[in-house]
Amino acid sequence: GAVVSQHPSRVICKSGTSVKIECRSLDFQATTMFWYRQFPKKSLMLMATSNEGSKATYEQGVEKDKFLINHASLTLSTLTVTSAHPEDSSFYICSARRQGVYEQYFGPGTRLTVT
Amino acid sequence: GQQLNQSPQSMFIQEGEDVSMNCTSSSIFNTWLWYKQEPGEGPVLLIALYKAGELTSNGRLTAQFGITRKDSFLNISASIPSDVGIYFCAGQRGDQLIWGAGTKLIIKP
């Protein structure tokens, strides 16, 4: 199988605080992990691509200092939303991919609400 | 921005009916993937297509990779209530997936 977990599934935080979201590949080694953001009734919007041990590559318009991504091991990537604001409220989804294949396997998503 | 045109945007069908949706692009892709997403969940991979002309089935689902490598379709036969959700196509180019806007499937009671 190819199981990806995300934690937490839901988080509510106050404006100005930071929140960390974890993405883990449970039964395979993920050389590449992706972070997406999804607005209601919309498709997935790629935020960044991270390869294990390297700096993440951010998509145009995504602030790398605001959305900190760390991919320190082959099974774990984290996304930290720093100084969160209400407009950062969204559904954040990670995906993971094995080396040499194209399929991405997704986590269950994290619903972030910033009050 | 999106480079895939996915249609229809939504479908209202009766249980038992067959469903068909497709994605087209102005550029070619090396791989086509079809995902299903249910509310509050991440997308789940349904079918992966690697070769132009390839036809692949997964239970009641059948998908084809267009011969021009610019399109793909997904068929669902004899739909059941648990088929409801949003279906996304995705084309692989380089390191990334390019996503369609999704087809929302609603089954009329």
Side-chain angles (χ1 to χ4, degrees):
Chain A
V3 181
V4 178
S5 70
Q6 248 179 276
H7 178 79
S9 57
R10 289 179 177 272
V11 58
I12 300 172
C13 70
K14 293 188 176 180
S15 190
T17 62
S18 296
V19 61
K20 180 185 285 187
I21 303 169
E22 291 187 350
C23 177
R24 294 181 185 273
S25 56
L26 298 184
D27 53 359
F28 67 101
Q29 292 187 327
T31 51
T32 306
M33 286 186 167
F34 303 84
W35 286 95
Y36 292 84
R37 183 173 179 175
Q38 188 175 33
F39 294 100
K41 300 183 181 180
K42 297 292 185 183
S43 188
L44 289 81
M45 184 186 77
L46 181 64
M47 298 174 66
T49 302
S50 75
N51 291 297
E52 185 265 337
S54 303
K55 287 185 179 179
T57 302
Y58 290 81
E59 294 300 298
Q60 193 172 12
V62 179
E63 299 176 58
K64 62 179 181 181
D65 294 330
K66 178 167 186 62
F67 299 99
L68 300 178
I69 291 172
N70 184 281
H71 189 169
S73 78
L74 286 171
T75 59
L76 173 64
S77 176
T78 60
L79 167 68
T80 301
V81 182
T82 63
S83 188
H85 289 106
E87 56 264 33
D88 297 327
S89 299
S90 193
F91 192 52
Y92 292 87
I93 315 174
C94 72
S95 70
R97 194 181 72 190
R98 290 186 181 95
Q99 186 174 16
V101 298
Y102 299 118
E103 298 93 333
Q104 292 182 24
Y105 295 92
F106 286 83
T110 296
R111 172 73 58 192
L112 171 63
T113 303
V114 184
T115 59
Chain B
Q2 288 178 8
Q3 301 173 44
L4 291 184
N5 297 309
Q6 185 172 350
S7 65
Q9 188 175 11
S10 61
M11 302 181 72
F12 291 79
I13 61 167
Q14 298 276 8
E15 184 178 349
E17 286 183 355
D18 296 342
V19 172
S20 185
M21 60 192 79
N22 69 85
C23 279
T24 60
S25 171
S26 57
S27 26
I28 63 174
F29 288 101
N30 298 320
T31 302
W32 282 92
L33 305 172
W34 284 92
Y35 288 86
K36 178 188 177 187
Q37 186 178 26
E38 297 189 21
E41 299 290 331
V44 174
L45 180 65
L46 299 175
I47 292 179
L49 302 161
Y50 304 104
K51 296 180 183 178
E54 179 181 354
L55 184 71
T56 297
S57 293
N58 177 7
R60 293 178 295 106
L61 278 62
T62 302
Q64 184 158 31
F65 193 151
I67 197 72
T68 64
R69 295 167 63 191
K70 293 183 180 181
D71 63 302
S72 178
F73 71 75
L74 174 71
N75 288 341
I76 305 172
S77 63
S79 57
I80 59 177
S82 60
D83 290 334
V84 298
I86 301 177
Y87 293 79
F88 291 100
C89 63
Q92 174 264 326
R93 183 180 299 136
D95 206 31
Q96 296 182 0
L97 294 179
I98 309 298
W99 292 85
T103 296
K104 186 173 184 178
L105 183 61
I106 302 163
I107 296 184
K108 293 181 280 190

